[in-house]
């Protein structure tokens, strides 16, 4: 079978390329490890807070100490005590960390307990560096704890409670989000950058011309390459899922919808790759064009962060990009097991795929002028 | 009448205003080695690629193995039955020699034994090496193996030995002759006079897109090569001056003096004249060759690189 011979040869040739392997497998693995680790892949993120209690000496158990315990009980803050004799501002300046964020300090003033019992105003002081991006978040927690503490002292209860419920019956974590996103993004770069430069390199070195003189048809060549991209995509997904399960105890899974989605994605990105390779003949220009298309698409399509957090005009662009639907279809099938949404997104991906495959096969020249 | 494998009538190929092939006609017969001899840019590769169905002609009637190259179905049938070695053969660089041949074998319905081909071309020790790690000469041999992998009836070899050292060139000639002995028809292009003369049954001399002459090497030589010559080695100006008094056709080539022999009596006259002068030289008789035919037909020589001298 001609297609089988082409599939076998181009897949082997790809897998034996060091740069091909790096960009197809190692690079996405590094991405997943980095993103997974930074953005709370293991779940328990805590923020450090130094507390300087200047209201000691008022007899055990003082209200200030109970307040610190309350802060501690959130589990979001990891509390470290700062000696009352230290100047908090110069402490922050002097301990500016070489690695990690600058410390932030909460000062409980002396007379904290006395004033509270007398129902007088108490002023907590929160000192942080302007460069500390999490300070606002920590301050919000401190505020919430002090509000509850005050209610507790007044024997009052909070009437409004917010219970959070996930729309999925599975609990999703950041790392799950990245497994699908990064897999989608790198399947895209394999097709759009990798295939584009491989195709024009084959042309430049005369390998395609040699194939023109054999019974291999344009269709055989295209199908063989699409199948190769599909298998590479499935391999990549397998590696990413295995990594997510082993390192992050993720609950992602692969099913028939995932495979359908990967196939649609492989056809789509092979189509884009062939379209770009058909537009320019010089391999360097082809690889440049591939990069110019792939990178904006990678960052605008909700692969690394949700589209909702982007400005409105970027959201409109994202909705026009095929990678958005492909990444969603992977997420729907692998994580959310929302098969209705997955089917719709696979259908949209497939529609893009048909379009670019048509364009790509039209632009692929088979034979010399 | 011998069976025609290729039939070309009034083939033209134009790229914009440039005419690469200027109305050529010829036939290639079954079982022969047919050489197209000419300098770079004469239109050899364009002609070959049209016959391989890789390029489309501007006009002309062309049939290969009884099929019209203009029809898609015809071209597909031709492609199954031909073998091709392009000028700069390239395969999949990261695949081994054997894997590349397996790839080419997988494209066709039938194929020869890969081990046998490797053996014939002395590639068996290299079969596990990656194609991109091979020298140019070895890569070319893999290309030769690929050209014969489908047991083709007709094989196109476009400059099969360009850039190879003389020893490998002779080994390649040997392989090509062996394939002819197995009944293959071989169409080769070359700019090496010796290659055309040694290897082919018939030669078409092509210049600027036109065929200047087409015949067997011996007929070309007897038609255009002229007579045999006497060569006086290192004879120098004095001998040349002496001979010139008797023969207008005497000429110098470096420090040698060359005298074409139109009449056997010329030899005696020349030797007597030189003997009387007391000049005595080493001497040889030179038969005309294709190089002389080419020079006579075109007025120039071809350099090793294939350029016009």
């Amino acid at each position: 079978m001609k297609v089988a011979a082409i599939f076998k040869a181009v897949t082997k040739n790809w897998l034996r390329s060091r740069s091909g392997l790096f960009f197809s497998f190692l690079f996405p693995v590094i991405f997943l490890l980095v993103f997974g680790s930074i953005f709370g892949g293991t779940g328990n993120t805590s923020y450090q807070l130094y507390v300087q209690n200047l209201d000691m000496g008022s007899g055990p158990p003082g209200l200030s100490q109970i307040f610190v315990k309350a802060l501690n009980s959130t589990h979001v803050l990891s509390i470290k005590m700062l000696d009352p004799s230290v100047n908090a501002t110069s402490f922050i300046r002097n301990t500016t960390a070489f690695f990690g964020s600058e410390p932030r300090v909460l000062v409980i003033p002396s007379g904290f307990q006395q004033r509270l019992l007398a129902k007088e105003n108490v002023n907590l002081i929160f000192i942080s560096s302007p460069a500390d991006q999490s300070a606002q978040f920590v301050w919000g927690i401190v505020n919430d704890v002090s509000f509850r503490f005050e209610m507790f002292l007044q024997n009052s209860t909070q009437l409004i409670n917010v219970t959070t419920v996930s729309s999925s019956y599975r609990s999703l974590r950041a790392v799950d989000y990245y497994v699908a996103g990064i897999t989608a993004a790198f399947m895209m770069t394999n097709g759009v950058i990798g295939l584009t430069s491989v195709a024009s390199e084959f042309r430049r070195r005369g390998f395609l011309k040699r194939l023109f003189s054999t019974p291999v048809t344009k269709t055989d060549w295209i199908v063989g390459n699409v199948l190769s991209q599909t298998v590479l995509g499935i391999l990549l997904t397998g590696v990413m899922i295995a990594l997510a399960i082993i390192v992050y105890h993720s609950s992602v899974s692969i099913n028939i919808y995932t495979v359908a989605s990967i196939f649609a994605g492989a056809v789509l990105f092979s189509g884009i790759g062939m379209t770009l390779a058909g537009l320019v003949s010089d391999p360097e220009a082809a690889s440049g064009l591939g990069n110019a298309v792939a990178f904006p698409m990678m960052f605008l399509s909700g692969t690394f962060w949700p589209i909702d957090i982007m400005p409105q005009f970027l959201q409109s662009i994202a909705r026009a990009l095929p990678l958005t639907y492909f990444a969603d279809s992977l997420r729907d099938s692998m994580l959310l097991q929302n098969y209705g949404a997955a089917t719709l997104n696979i259908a949209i991906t497939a529609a893009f795929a048909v379009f670019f495959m048509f364009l790509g096969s039209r632009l692929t020249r088979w034979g010399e002028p | 009448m011998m069976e025609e494998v290729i039939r070309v009538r009034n083939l033209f190929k134009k790229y914009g205003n440039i005419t690469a092939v200027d109305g050529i006609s010829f036939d290639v017969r079954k079982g022969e080695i047919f050489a197209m001899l000419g300098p770079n840019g004469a239109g050899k590769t364009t002609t070959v690629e049209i016959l391989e169905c890789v390029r489309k002609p501007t006009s002309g009637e062309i049939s290969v193995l009884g099929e019209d190259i203009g029809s898609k179905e015809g071209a597909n049938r031709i492609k199954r039955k031909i073998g091709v070695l392009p000028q700069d053969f390239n395969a999949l660089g990261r695949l081994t020699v054997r894997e590349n041949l397996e790839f080419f074998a997988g494209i066709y319905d039938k194929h020869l034994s890969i081990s046998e081909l490797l053996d014939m071309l002395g590639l068996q020790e290299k079969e596990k090496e990656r194609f991109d790690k091979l020298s140019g000469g070895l890569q070319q041999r893999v290309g030769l193996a690929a050209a014969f992998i489908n047991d083709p009836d007709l094989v196109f070899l476009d400059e099969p030995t360009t850039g190879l050292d003389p020893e490998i060139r002779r080994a390649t000639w040997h392989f090509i002759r062996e394939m002819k002995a197995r009944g293959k028809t071989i169409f080769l292009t070359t700019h090496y006079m010796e290659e055309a003369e040694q290897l082919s049954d018939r030669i078409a001399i092509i210049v600027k897109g036109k065929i200047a002459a087409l015949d067997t090497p011996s007929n070309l030589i007897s038609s255009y090569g002229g007579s045999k010559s006497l060569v006086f080695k290192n004879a120098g100006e004095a001998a040349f001056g002496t001979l010139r008094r008797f023969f207008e056709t005497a000429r110098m080539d470096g420090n040698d003096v060359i005298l074409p022999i139109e009449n056997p009596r010329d030899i005696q006259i020349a030797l007597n004249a030189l003997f009387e002068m007391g000049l005595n030289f080493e001497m040889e008789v030179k038969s005309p060759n294709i190089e002389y035919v080419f020079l006579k037909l075109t007025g120039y020589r071809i350099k090793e690189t294939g350029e016009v001298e």
Side-chain angles (χ1 to χ4, degrees), chain A residues 1-2 5-6 8-10 12-14 16-17 202 205-207 209-216 367-369, chain B residues 13 15 49 54-55 79-80 84 86 89-96 99 103-104 106-108 130 146-147:
Chain A
M1 262 297 279
K2 291 180 280 176
I6 294 166
K8 202 171 140 191
V10 295
K12 254 191 207 170
N13 199 53
W14 184 297
R16 283 194 196 151
S17 141
F202 280 162
R205 294 174 59 232
F207 179 67
K209 188 150 104 181
R210 178 63 183 85
L211 285 190
F212 298 157
S213 64
T214 70
V216 168
E368 296 290 319
Chain B
K13 177 66 184 181
Y15 299 102
E49 288 181 355
V54 163
R55 239 174 244 285
K79 285 175 175 184
R80 266 182 237 138
V84 168
F89 173 74
N90 246 311
L92 291 156
R94 287 181 285 270
L95 262 52
T96 65
E99 285 168 337
F103 164 67
F104 280 106
I107 288 173
Y108 298 97
R130 271 170 57 153

Side-chain angles (χ1 to χ4, degrees), chain B:
Chain B
M1 180 78 190
M2 281 177 116
E3 195 186 330
E4 288 162 5
V5 175
I6 299 175
R7 185 185 152 87
V8 175
R9 294 291 176 272
N10 296 317
L11 167 61
F12 282 91
K13 177 66 184 181
K14 292 179 182 171
Y15 299 102
N17 292 329
I18 298 161
T19 303
V21 179
D22 197 1
I24 60 174
S25 300
F26 61 92
D27 297 326
V28 175
R29 298 166 190 159
K30 189 173 163 52
E32 74 173 340
I33 298 181
F34 182 95
M36 200 166 240
L37 173 68
N40 294 350
K44 303 189 297 281
T45 298
T46 304
T47 305
V48 167
E49 288 181 355
I50 289 169
L51 297 175
E52 293 165 1
C53 310
V54 163
R55 239 174 244 285
K56 294 225 180 313
T58 306
S59 67
E61 271 175 61
I62 301 121
S63 79
V64 174
L65 296 166
E67 306 279 358
D68 177 12
I69 65 157
S71 85
K72 205 175 172 188
E73 296 74 28
N76 281 340
R77 280 193 290 267
I78 292 168
K79 285 175 175 184
R80 266 182 237 138
K81 290 187 276 187
I82 61 168
V84 168
L85 175 71
Q87 227 174 85
D88 294 299
F89 173 74
N90 246 311
L92 291 156
R94 287 181 285 270
L95 262 52
T96 65
V97 169
R98 180 175 274 275
E99 285 168 337
N100 265 302
L101 292 177
E102 279 168 355
F103 164 67
F104 280 106
I107 288 173
Y108 298 97
D109 305 332
K110 55 163 185 159
H111 65 85
L112 293 177
S113 144
I114 292 170
S115 301
E116 192 195 349
L117 271 175
L118 288 171
D119 206 37
M120 283 181 79
L121 287 158
L123 283 168
Q124 60 278 64
E125 278 169 26
K126 303 281 177 188
E127 66 166 297
K128 290 200 174 92
E129 260 181 60
R130 271 170 57 153
F131 181 79
D132 57 7
K133 304 278 185 231
L134 299 177
S135 67
L138 285 172
Q139 290 190 342
Q140 193 73 348
R141 263 195 268 178
V142 176
L144 213 47
F148 286 92
I149 194 89
N150 56 328
D151 197 15
D153 299 332
L154 168 66
V155 184
F156 295 95
L157 308 174
D158 194 1
E159 309 233 349
T161 65
T162 296
L164 300 184
D165 65 56
E167 201 183 326
I168 301 177
R169 185 172 296 165
R170 271 163 211 288
T172 306
W173 290 353
H174 178 74
F175 176 78
I176 294 170
R177 282 197 195 100
E178 207 155 308
M179 282 301 169
K180 174 191 149 85
R182 291 189 181 197
K184 312 279 178 217
T185 307
I186 290 159
F187 185 112
L188 74 94
T189 73
T190 185
H191 64 253
Y192 294 127
M193 303 294 161
E194 196 193 353
E195 184 159 281
E197 192 174 338
Q198 292 270 324
L199 211 52
S200 39
D201 296 306
R202 291 192 306 142
I203 302 172
I205 293 178
I206 182 167
V207 184
K208 290 178 185 158
K210 285 187 168 94
I211 291 179
L214 196 172
D215 214 326
T216 62
S218 57
N219 282 351
L220 282 173
I221 290 166
S222 58
S223 310
Y224 302 98
S227 51
K228 293 186 177 182
S229 309
L230 271 182
V231 180
F232 298 96
K233 291 283 188 187
N234 275 320
E237 295 283 349
F240 176 65
T242 304
L243 289 173
R244 198 61 195 233
R245 279 194 267 130
F246 299 91
F247 307 100
E248 265 194 2
T249 49
R251 61 189 164 89
M252 288 203 76
D253 184 13
N255 210 29
D256 297 347
V257 178
I258 297 171
L259 178 67
I261 307 157
E262 270 131 37
N263 187 325
R265 267 185 49 226
D266 294 349
I267 303 174
Q268 208 183 349
I269 295 167
L271 290 178
N272 281 342
L274 290 172
F275 207 69
E276 274 170 27
M277 296 281 299
L279 301 170
N280 199 3
F281 308 103
E282 207 181 303
M283 193 176 69
E284 65 178 34
V285 179
K286 200 176 169 190
S287 303
N289 57 15
I290 290 293
E291 191 166 359
Y292 190 72
V293 172
F294 191 85
L295 185 69
K296 186 124 183 191
L297 279 169
T298 64
Y300 56 76
R301 290 195 169 98
I302 302 178
K303 287 194 277 190
E304 176 70 16
T305 54
E307 306 298 328
V308 169
E309 200 166 80

